Amino acid sequence: MTNATMFVKKTSGHARAGMRSGTCALISLSLIAMSAAAAAAVQNGDFRATRVVDNLWDGVNSNGVITVHATPHDIMIEGDHTEAVPFGASACYADVTGDGVPELVVGDSRGFVWIFAQRSARGQFPPRFERGRFLPTYLGRVLNIDVADYNGDGQNDILVGTVEGVVQLLLNRGKGEFMPPEFVPSYAALDVGKVRARQALETKGMFPLIMQGKTALCIGSFAAPRLVDWDKNGTPELVIGEGSFSANAVYLYRNVGNKATPQFPQAQRAWLAYGMGREHLSPAVGDLDGDGDYDLLVGERTGGLWWYEQQVSNRHSAAVEVTQPHAEAVLVGNSRTPVGVMPRPYLADADADGDLDLWLGCNDGVVRLSRNIGTRNVPVFATPIEVRATDVLRPYLQPPWPWESNCRGDDNAAIIMTTGTETAEGSAARVTFAHVAFAEQYSGKGGHIVHHGHMPIAYDQPYTVTLRVRGRNVTATCNLGQAGEGYVVGDTLETKFGGDRSWPLKLSPQWQTVRFPFTLKRLTSGTRTNQVTGATLGFGIADPKPDGYVDFTDVSVTPAATAEEPAAAGATGN
């Protein structure tokens, strides 16, 4: 990299210097040169530098611990400011295959639901599981799930609470199959304004929502559902925790329907547990003290687990009374915050001894289990242990940071980037390259490989993008985005965007070198002292087939005068 240096800026989300991704998913990279006249080469453009990445697409890390995708998400903290906090796993232990043996069902923060079959004998502690399989569909970020029989057919379904505060229904089609055979449901990025204004929604092509007439039941944000016969009258009620600071409560919706067609009208909503200033309440339901009624064990943002006890007068009562919290958070092992922030608890008997053990979905994506070493009437929860499963996917090599893989915002493909090496044709030299494909062949609509950083380009100067590429069964483009320019209107600073370029890539299984010339011009008039503008370079992947892939290497952006050959035929420039 002659007379050039790389500046890397770590950001949350996609690297952006004024580039709009449009309809294509992006493999984005950015560069910076010491001067506009110097050649700008891509850091790690031949991909010989690598890092070892744990392959979590079987839901198990290389140490044999169940671990699903964990990602940060911006939330409101104490009604004062937003902050990115880690979200990970939401775990349930219940039979979804109908064989009488519970499975471990886990929602992750990236948008997938995973099912782990149990391999150990019932009652063995700790239980062990087979590798996980994820349902090939996107369900929205930061999932909070429950497993229960929603429609009274004797099979356990999956309820998925979303960031928007609604609850999706994954109905069991038999033997733990939840995907409709005729199509793969897509995720509708719900219009939160319409949801909260109780306006009709377009839900065609997605999993059904719990509805209140023609509008969706909406709790506010970060719905955490539990379906349970709370008052033991023979029909299930909906217990649901809420995530926003202003509400911070757990509610109960009475069922005015029946087992087969439950109905939870807004008029039947009642407070069940006041958050008392706690946030992101995620309830578990179970009879913790053996008195014959249900209690709540509620996880909250800062890591505490709070026991809310149901009062005797709540049983079979038309008017639900608020449960009463114990004075201190539950002690788990020797800690009242045993697994860090954002715990998602679930109560179920893991060792078949008749009492309730505590399953914990954790913010690092790990599922942990705390055994009840007390009794049915006086629970004592031991230090949580990691839940183990069979790891079948080995770690792989990947280009290091600032490269990062991401899905598209509303279509969570199982995109994965690895580093490949092969012998060059007709030569003993080794070629290293980035290989972008899809785990379990779940391609969705594409995904992102992001390179975080910035690339300054001199205005009105010719440059050439050069790369070697191959692939098949995807539509690919090379995209260049120009940074926005600030300009003053009256006393307001505005930003103008434009100047983007897009060049189609004609992929084939053989390596080909392509070159695209470009020049970036000023977007606004007026005197400027700056001679450069920011830019990003990316590769769009759209409409991939399950076996689609793209390989690329030797990517560079150079002043056109340094190019050794003319631009590739068919390349489009200014």
Side-chain angles (χ1 to χ4, degrees):
M1 189 152 62
T2 307
N3 294 327
T5 186
M6 174 66 72
F7 173 77
V8 176
K9 180 181 179 182
K10 185 174 179 180
T11 62
S12 61
H14 307 305
R16 186 181 188 275
M19 184 172 73
R20 293 176 294 283
S21 61
T23 58
C24 288
L26 295 177
I27 303 168
S28 295
L29 54 96
S30 311
L31 321 170
I32 189 165
M34 288 181 67
S35 70
V42 177
Q43 183 189 35
N44 204 33
D46 59 6
F47 302 103
R48 279 177 288 186
T50 60
R51 61 172 180 154
V52 178
V53 176
D54 209 347
N55 194 334
L56 296 181
W57 288 104
D58 56 3
V60 188
N61 70 22
S62 57
N63 294 320
V65 174
I66 290 179
T67 309
V68 297
H69 301 303
T71 56
H73 193 87
D74 287 340
I75 65 169
M76 181 67 72
I77 302 293
E78 296 181 355
D80 177 66
H81 66 283
T82 58
E83 184 177 309
V85 299
F87 285 84
S90 170
C92 301
Y93 182 65
D95 179 18
V96 295
T97 60
D99 63 358
V101 179
E103 285 77 36
L104 186 63
V105 184
V106 184
D108 71 19
S109 63
R110 184 169 166 175
F112 291 116
V113 168
W114 300 74
I115 299 176
F116 298 82
Q118 190 165 182
R119 63 180 299 192
S120 58
R122 184 76 172 98
Q124 177 182 322
F125 192 91
R128 292 184 65 90
F129 296 86
E130 303 289 354
R131 64 157 293 175
R133 64 178 177 92
F134 64 86
L135 303 185
T137 188
Y138 176 54
L139 295 160
R141 296 188 181 276
V142 191
L143 304 185
N144 211 326
I145 70 167
D146 190 32
V147 175
D149 183 2
Y150 184 79
N151 56 4
D153 64 356
Q155 301 180 108
N156 278 327
D157 308 301
I158 301 174
L159 288 75
V160 178
T162 75
V163 170
E164 296 88 353
V166 302
V167 181
Q168 298 178 91
L169 299 172
L170 280 63
L171 299 178
N172 196 333
R173 296 171 180 270
K175 299 183 179 179
E177 296 296 331
F178 296 90
M179 300 300 297
E182 63 273 16
F183 68 96
V184 175
S186 63
Y187 175 74
L190 298 174
D191 186 322
V192 177
K194 285 187 175 181
V195 170
R196 293 176 181 169
R198 301 186 59 76
Q199 297 176 5
L201 299 172
E202 175 55 58
T203 59
K204 182 180 179 181
M206 65 179 289
F207 286 106
L209 304 175
I210 293 182
M211 302 294 289
Q212 294 175 327
K214 295 182 179 181
T215 61
L217 182 151
C218 180
I219 198 67
S221 64
F222 296 92
R226 298 293 179 204
L227 188 72
V228 62
D229 186 3
W230 177 263
D231 56 12
K232 298 193 175 182
N233 67 348
T235 59
E237 282 73 47
L238 181 64
V239 173
I240 186 166
E242 205 274 340
S244 67
F245 171 77
S246 60
N248 55 39
V250 178
Y251 299 95
L252 182 134
Y253 286 85
R254 285 200 179 276
N255 183 0
V256 300
N258 52 45
K259 282 186 178 181
T261 55
Q263 298 178 41
F264 305 109
Q266 187 71 13
Q268 291 296 320
R269 191 181 84 166
W271 275 267
L272 193 58
Y274 293 133
M276 302 174 70
R278 305 178 188 108
E279 302 168 332
H280 285 266
L281 304 184
S282 180
V285 179
D287 183 3
L288 284 169
D289 51 11
D291 66 353
D293 58 24
Y294 288 120
D295 307 299
L296 301 177
L297 186 64
V298 180
E300 51 92 15
R301 176 179 62 83
T302 62
L305 295 157
W306 294 85
W307 180 348
Y308 286 78
E309 188 173 344
Q310 185 178 172
Q311 304 303 298
V312 173
S313 59
N314 282 9
R315 301 178 191 174
H316 309 289
S317 171
V320 176
E321 295 183 8
V322 176
T323 55
Q324 296 299 317
H326 287 201
E328 291 186 288
V330 173
L331 191 67
V332 179
N334 60 357
S335 176
R336 300 193 190 276
T337 55
V339 292
V341 301
M342 295 293 180
R344 269 77 174 279
Y346 188 82
L347 293 166
D349 188 357
D351 52 10
D353 66 352
D355 58 29
L356 294 174
D357 304 296
L358 175 58
W359 299 81
L360 291 164
C362 304
N363 66 69
D364 57 1
V366 173
V367 177
R368 294 177 171 86
L369 175 59
S370 172
R371 192 176 195 178
N372 184 356
I373 55 177
T375 66
R376 288 185 60 193
N377 304 87
V378 184
V380 177
F381 294 113
T383 299
I385 60 173
E386 296 169 334
V387 180
R388 306 187 69 80
T390 303
D391 181 30
V392 299
L393 298 179
R394 301 296 95 189
Y396 56 87
L397 296 178
Q398 185 180 80
W401 182 269
W403 294 94
E404 182 186 28
S405 60
N406 278 309
C407 64
R408 261 183 71 176
D410 62 350
D411 188 85
N412 203 343
I415 191 166
I416 186 171
M417 179 173 68
T418 59
T419 299
T421 304
E422 64 185 22
T423 302
E425 185 176 351
S427 170
R430 301 291 288 174
V431 176
T432 57
F433 55 92
H435 177 70
V436 182
F438 303 95
E440 305 295 321
Q441 295 196 323
Y442 176 55
S443 57
K445 297 177 183 176
H448 304 260
I449 302 297
V450 181
H451 187 288
H452 297 277
H454 297 283
M455 177 175 62
I457 297 293
Y459 285 117
D460 301 316
Q461 299 296 314
Y463 287 79
T464 301
V465 179
T466 306
L467 67 142
R468 297 178 65 212
V469 65
R470 68 182 177 185
R472 69 178 183 190
N473 290 338
V474 299
T475 299
T477 56
C478 178
N479 306 309
L480 186 93
Q482 184 172 345
E485 289 181 13
Y487 64 103
V488 176
V489 177
D491 58 356
T492 303
L493 179 64
E494 304 285 351
T495 303
K496 184 173 183 178
F497 296 98
D500 296 353
R501 304 288 189 274
S502 182
W503 304 285
L505 293 171
K506 296 180 180 179
L507 298 178
S508 73
Q510 288 73 46
W511 285 109
Q512 55 182 316
T513 299
V514 295
R515 294 180 175 86
F516 303 111
F518 71 92
T519 301
L520 297 185
K521 296 184 177 299
R522 297 185 185 277
L523 301 175
T524 61
S525 61
T527 303
R528 294 285 188 277
T529 57
N530 61 307
Q531 299 300 310
V532 298
T533 181
T536 58
L537 181 68
F539 303 95
I541 300 178
D543 304 318
K545 293 182 171 59
D547 62 347
Y549 72 90
V550 175
D551 296 337
F552 58 97
T553 190
D554 296 335
V555 184
S556 66
V557 178
T558 57
T562 68
E564 297 178 0
E565 300 178 27
T572 57
N574 244 14

